[in-house]
Amino acid sequence: MAKAVQNFEGVERQPLRAFTEKAYLEYSMYVILDRALPAIGDGLKPVQRRIIYAMSELGLSAVSKHKKSARTVGDVIGKFHPHGDSACYEAMVLMAQPFAYRYPVVDGQGNWGSQDDPKSFAAMRYTEAKLTRYADVLLRELGEGTVDWQPNFDGTMDEPVVLPARLPNLLLNGTTGIAVGMATDIPPHNLREIAAACLHLLDEPEATSRQLMKFVKGPDLPTGAEIVSPRADLAEFYDKGVGSFKARATYEVEDDCIVVTALPWQTSGSKVLEQIAEQMRAKKLPMVDDLRDESDHENPTRLVIVPKGRKVDAEQLMAHLFATTDLERNYRVNLNVIGLDGRPKVMGLREILSQWLEFRIGTVRRRLQWRLDKVTQRLHILDGLLAAFLNLDEVIRIIRREDEPKPVLMKRFSLSEIQAEAILDTKLRHLAKLEEMKIRGEQAELAAERDALQTLLGSDKKLRKKVGEELAADAEKFGDPRRSRIVERDAAQAIDETSLLANEPVTVVMSAGGWVRAAKGHEIDPRSLQYKAGDAFQASVRGMSLQPAVFLDTTGRTYCLPAHSLPSARGLGEPLSGRLNPPDGAKFAGAMMGDPEGKWLFASDAGYGFVARLADAITDRKAGKTMLNVPENSLALAPAAVPGADALVAIACVDGEGENGRLLVFPIGEVPEMPRGKGNKLFNIPTALATARDEVIVGVAAVSPKGGLLIHNGERVMTLNWADLAAYKGARAQRGAVLPRGWRRVTRIEAAGG
């Protein structure tokens, strides 16, 4: 890397690459370590830690009065966190929302948002706040020498590097954050379960995450609901630190109505109702009659779903809603935290609890050492005071007569400077009240405490026991029952849309311009329908409403749409290109419908074709699938249904002027059957004529013995019955016979009857 240099003016110059690399690296480390990821000790991000500390400095304990949130935010950004007030206030709001935090740290008064809209909280000038009782877990030992301190951003005061949390707040309240190149997603847990796992780990330091799961059943969400993931999924992220789990709403059936009583974490009830209502508008939930939101202060979540009649299966309906709405949600888990070494790392359950216990043991050791130092110092002072009491007259004489009594006292009674200062700072009336028994009594108490502290500090086993006793006491004081039940359930399945609809006869009509619609029944005359100006009827097929309608374009690609999803024939329909993605310049040639095993004749106007099952043409891709390989400069023709094995294929051909029409008829058995391709030659068009399109096929049809053939010449129609077709019989790939004069300008042909 190029080194920075200075010019003669003392201005440092360095390559842009080196500067940007260094600047981005520093920014990345700041975002990772000082903004987005929580510390394993107290489970807090810097902004959260500063808010809690600032509130404690303002005296906003759980037993004090609430104070305006703007006051707290002002202190935070003015003293510790020089960033935007809105971001700081949002972090404060999050810690006060009982539906967001399992154990809220801030006790809010006023509008602090709702589960429906967490961002609907009032401005900080309107709301008031103080700390909750749970915040005592984070702050109680702060002034007892338990943590390191660092200067604030401008060096005018100190702030704690981490709070001395008495409980593993990291797992209790969880957190989310996005850093640079990494993120964290930690779900909340139950205090009693986590404390029990910690106690077990204190006794069995080698316990695995699987063994700890005997105590930690899974995440415990603030809103309740059910966690429905298999135990293997939970074990995976507790082992590896990465995974996911599903939470599902809980419901009850009251008076034939379904009442949702708890929603998954971070789920809006109004959004759920909107999702259900959207399905009702789209006629995808015909079994639901009405929706109501009866949530209030007594029932924070009460969504009522009214089914149509008592025959509706509530369990099946809810399974559908779980699969299609936010009544069931998937949560990502990424246990990425800043460890005791100051580095981010993805940890499993065991490693997180082990590191936190290491932090906690270290904190307790520092607290006990701090107290031991205080006791030792007090005993030292008491020794000096006792010496002063036993020689009170001499002490008074020295103080009265000496200009500098401290060194004299120190030399006369072998006192330390601290002891001499304590004697000199004691008022005369207090000296007069000093009693040997009181001093010796305090000495005895402090000596006993000193011995107990030294014993604790000298034994790791006793120290771990002390930590365990405090954990158990805090779990008893702040713990509560689990809210989210762990119930392993089958994956929710959406109800098949077709099972909600009646299977009725329909006629699908397609216009020359590619507009499509569906009419109920098979009796409608498609030509009698109204079409857009410049458009006209092109094709129609009959089938059932639950069958797919299959369309073929001129490039040989097929597309599918559910027949029941097509617009009604009462209107003009809708363009197929609005729901499908055909190639540029392609037009729709025809439509198919019916039994998937039914056979259809596919052909190009170059005279090639084959027979295929309708199932081979069905696809779910909007861009369709290639069914017929069309020769260059050729187009696909409208497909023709094959009525049976004894059918005849009729092929009409005209020259470029439309003057010389030919007709060829041959048995359907001579046509190859294949799933897709170009097919074989059905009609003999000389290559030169085909290339120049001087001669093209205008239509193909498959005629049954009981039917006939309709030949269209504009508005004129000629009918050829089975016997009439004998005059045009030949073999596949022949030229056929010339049609009668006046009927050589053929526009299209179609099978009739049969």
Side-chain angles (χ1 to χ4, degrees):
M1 182 181 294
K3 295 182 179 180
V5 296
Q6 289 187 341
N7 62 14
F8 60 90
E9 295 177 345
V11 178
E12 182 180 349
R13 294 179 180 272
Q14 57 179 313
L16 181 61
R17 176 180 177 182
F19 171 78
T20 54
E21 181 178 341
K22 180 175 179 291
Y24 189 72
L25 181 61
E26 290 177 352
Y27 165 75
S28 301
M29 294 305 296
Y30 165 74
V31 172
I32 292 171
L33 299 178
D34 292 324
R35 183 187 294 181
L37 300 188
I40 197 166
D42 55 13
L44 299 173
K45 301 177 186 179
V47 65
Q48 297 169 327
R49 186 179 303 117
R50 288 161 176 166
I51 290 170
I52 295 170
Y53 176 63
M55 293 182 74
S56 70
E57 289 295 287
L58 284 171
L60 296 177
S61 66
V63 295
S64 67
K65 291 183 178 180
H66 292 81
K67 191 169 287 186
K68 284 289 184 183
S69 302
R71 173 71 185 278
T72 298
V73 172
D75 263 35
V76 172
I77 64 177
K79 295 179 178 179
F80 309 111
H81 198 71
H83 296 275
D85 58 349
S86 60
C88 178
Y89 182 48
E90 283 193 26
M92 181 178 175
V93 168
L94 187 68
M95 293 191 290
Q97 293 177 333
F99 49 84
Y101 259 44
R102 182 64 178 81
Y103 299 95
V105 183
V106 176
D107 178 8
Q109 187 168 277
N111 177 13
W112 289 78
S114 65
Q115 187 173 354
D116 264 354
D117 187 3
K119 299 286 188 180
S120 63
F121 50 84
M124 58 185 171
R125 62 181 177 274
Y126 299 119
T127 61
E128 298 177 340
K130 64 179 180 178
L131 294 169
T132 62
R133 289 176 59 249
Y134 175 80
D136 189 49
V137 168
L138 304 171
L139 295 165
R140 187 188 309 173
E141 301 172 357
L142 188 58
E144 299 179 15
T146 50
V147 296
D148 295 328
W149 295 72
Q150 63 186 6
N152 68 339
F153 66 91
D154 61 0
T156 57
M157 58 183 65
D158 290 335
E159 61 175 321
V161 174
V162 65
L163 297 182
R166 295 170 59 91
L167 291 169
N169 182 64
L170 175 72
L171 290 175
L172 300 185
N173 277 321
T175 190
T176 61
I178 300 175
V180 177
M182 60 182 67
T184 184
D185 291 281
I186 304 175
H189 290 77
N190 184 269
L191 193 159
R192 291 177 180 172
E193 292 181 4
I194 294 295
C198 288
L199 293 174
H200 180 75
L201 200 57
L202 283 170
D203 295 334
E204 303 288 341
E206 300 303 318
T208 64
S209 292
R210 298 289 179 122
Q211 292 171 335
L212 294 176
M213 283 186 66
K214 294 178 182 178
F215 308 96
V216 182
K217 307 299 182 183
D220 189 22
L221 307 179
T223 54
E226 291 180 343
I227 294 174
V228 296
S229 293
R231 184 173 176 80
D233 289 358
L234 303 180
E236 180 182 0
F237 69 72
Y238 282 136
D239 272 342
K240 301 177 181 178
V242 177
S244 64
F245 69 93
K246 292 181 184 293
R248 182 180 292 183
T250 56
Y251 68 94
E252 300 171 354
V253 179
E254 297 179 7
D255 300 327
D256 298 325
C257 293
I258 300 170
V259 181
V260 177
T261 56
L263 292 171
W265 187 38
Q266 299 171 335
T267 296
S268 164
S270 59
K271 183 179 179 181
V272 168
L273 291 179
E274 184 180 336
Q275 290 171 335
I276 300 175
E278 180 61 31
Q279 292 191 46
M280 293 172 67
R281 284 192 292 270
K283 299 181 180 179
K284 295 181 179 180
L285 276 179
M287 72 283 285
V288 175
D289 187 47
D290 192 18
L291 297 173
R292 294 197 303 271
D293 186 355
E294 298 182 355
S295 305
D296 53 29
H297 291 292
E298 294 182 3
N299 301 289
T301 300
R302 185 178 171 83
L303 308 181
V304 181
I305 303 170
V306 183
K308 282 186 178 178
R310 298 183 177 180
K311 294 183 180 180
V312 174
D313 187 340
E315 188 172 336
Q316 183 186 32
L317 171 58
M318 289 305 295
H320 172 78
L321 295 178
F322 289 143
T324 58
T325 70
D326 284 347
L327 287 175
E328 178 177 300
R329 289 190 60 178
N330 188 66
Y331 297 90
R332 182 179 57 191
V333 177
N334 183 13
L335 306 180
N336 189 7
V337 299
I338 299 174
L340 295 180
D341 59 358
R343 300 187 178 196
K345 184 181 179 183
V346 176
M347 306 181 187
L349 177 63
R350 180 191 179 281
E351 188 173 4
I352 286 178
L353 293 183
S354 296
Q355 284 211 22
W356 182 83
L357 284 173
E358 184 181 343
F359 165 81
R360 180 59 189 158
I361 291 170
T363 302
V364 173
R365 185 184 298 277
R366 291 181 64 166
R367 187 190 79 205
L368 296 177
Q369 185 62 53
W370 177 84
R371 178 58 185 167
L372 178 60
D373 293 342
K374 291 287 185 182
V375 169
T376 303
Q377 184 180 13
R378 179 60 180 167
L379 283 171
H380 183 61
I381 291 173
L382 287 176
D383 288 341
L385 292 177
L386 184 60
F389 173 77
L390 295 176
N391 301 278
L392 187 57
D393 292 338
E394 179 67 11
V395 169
I396 293 173
R397 186 189 67 78
I398 292 172
I399 294 174
R400 289 181 63 188
R401 294 184 178 182
E402 298 293 337
D403 293 333
E404 294 291 337
K406 183 164 69 172
V408 177
L409 286 172
M410 292 171 61
K411 183 176 181 181
R412 173 68 178 82
F413 300 108
S414 300
L415 301 175
S416 68
E417 186 174 351
I418 295 175
Q419 289 173 318
E421 285 285 353
I423 292 171
L424 292 173
D425 288 342
T426 304
K427 293 182 179 179
L428 185 62
R429 66 171 179 267
H430 292 157
L431 283 175
K433 292 181 179 179
L434 286 177
E435 298 179 7
E436 182 180 0
M437 293 303 294
K438 286 184 178 181
I439 294 175
R440 294 190 183 279
E442 186 178 354
Q443 279 182 322
E445 290 178 6
L446 292 177
E449 184 179 355
R450 178 193 60 198
D451 294 341
L453 290 170
Q454 288 175 340
T455 302
L456 280 173
L457 289 170
S459 170
D460 286 341
K461 183 177 180 181
K462 290 183 178 180
L463 186 61
R464 294 173 75 89
K465 183 180 179 182
K466 173 72 172 176
V467 170
E469 290 172 352
E470 292 180 354
L471 266 173
D474 287 336
E476 180 65 27
K477 182 177 181 180
F478 297 103
D480 58 359
R482 166 172 280 277
R483 296 181 188 175
S484 297
R485 292 186 299 166
I486 309 288
V487 186
E488 189 170 331
R489 299 190 186 276
D490 295 333
Q493 295 289 333
I495 300 175
D496 184 3
E497 189 178 347
T498 59
S499 66
L500 307 177
L501 304 170
N503 196 16
E504 302 173 332
V506 293
T507 301
V508 175
V509 181
M510 187 182 76
S511 74
W515 285 61
V516 68
R517 46 190 153 167
K520 291 184 178 180
H522 292 167
E523 296 76 26
I524 187 171
D525 179 6
R527 292 177 178 80
S528 66
L529 297 175
Q530 183 179 0
Y531 294 88
K532 290 172 63 70
D535 203 359
F537 166 77
Q538 177 166 328
S540 68
V541 284
R542 295 171 178 173
M544 304 300 290
S545 58
L546 297 185
Q547 292 177 334
V550 185
F551 304 93
L552 177 72
D553 72 11
T554 52
T555 68
R557 300 183 71 83
T558 56
Y559 311 82
C560 290
L561 290 175
H564 64 80
S565 71
L566 299 177
S568 170
R570 295 175 183 173
L572 297 175
E574 65 180 53
L576 284 168
S577 58
R579 296 173 62 177
L580 304 173
N581 297 326
D584 293 340
K587 296 183 178 180
F588 289 95
M592 297 168 280
M593 207 172 171
D595 182 3
E597 296 302 316
K599 295 181 180 179
W600 289 74
L601 177 62
F602 294 85
S604 65
D605 64 4
Y608 292 86
F610 60 91
V611 171
R613 299 178 307 127
L614 181 60
D616 295 329
I618 294 176
T619 177
D620 58 357
R621 297 196 295 265
K622 284 189 175 183
K625 64 179 286 189
T626 300
M627 186 70 184
L628 176 65
N629 292 332
V630 179
E632 189 176 357
N633 296 328
S634 297
L635 301 174
L637 298 171
V642 177
D646 55 352
L648 292 175
V649 177
I651 301 177
C653 174
V654 298
D655 61 20
E657 302 297 328
E659 296 294 339
N660 296 315
R662 291 176 174 272
L663 182 66
L664 173 63
V665 178
F666 57 88
I668 190 69
E670 296 183 14
V671 182
E673 186 173 336
M674 57 181 68
R676 58 183 173 271
K678 177 181 178 181
N680 289 2
K681 183 176 286 191
L682 305 181
F683 191 95
N684 184 17
I685 301 178
T687 304
L689 296 178
T691 302
R693 295 188 65 80
D694 287 337
E695 193 172 303
V696 294
I697 304 296
V698 294
V700 294
V703 185
S704 70
K706 297 181 180 179
L709 181 69
L710 300 180
I711 299 177
H712 294 262
N713 182 353
E715 297 297 326
R716 300 167 59 208
V717 181
M718 177 175 66
T719 303
L720 300 178
N721 57 32
W722 184 263
D724 297 333
L725 293 176
Y728 301 94
K729 279 187 178 181
R732 179 180 63 82
Q734 291 184 343
R735 293 281 290 164
V738 179
L739 288 165
R741 188 175 298 276
W743 290 96
R744 296 177 183 176
R745 189 183 289 273
V746 179
T747 53
R748 63 187 178 91
I749 63 173
E750 62 178 319

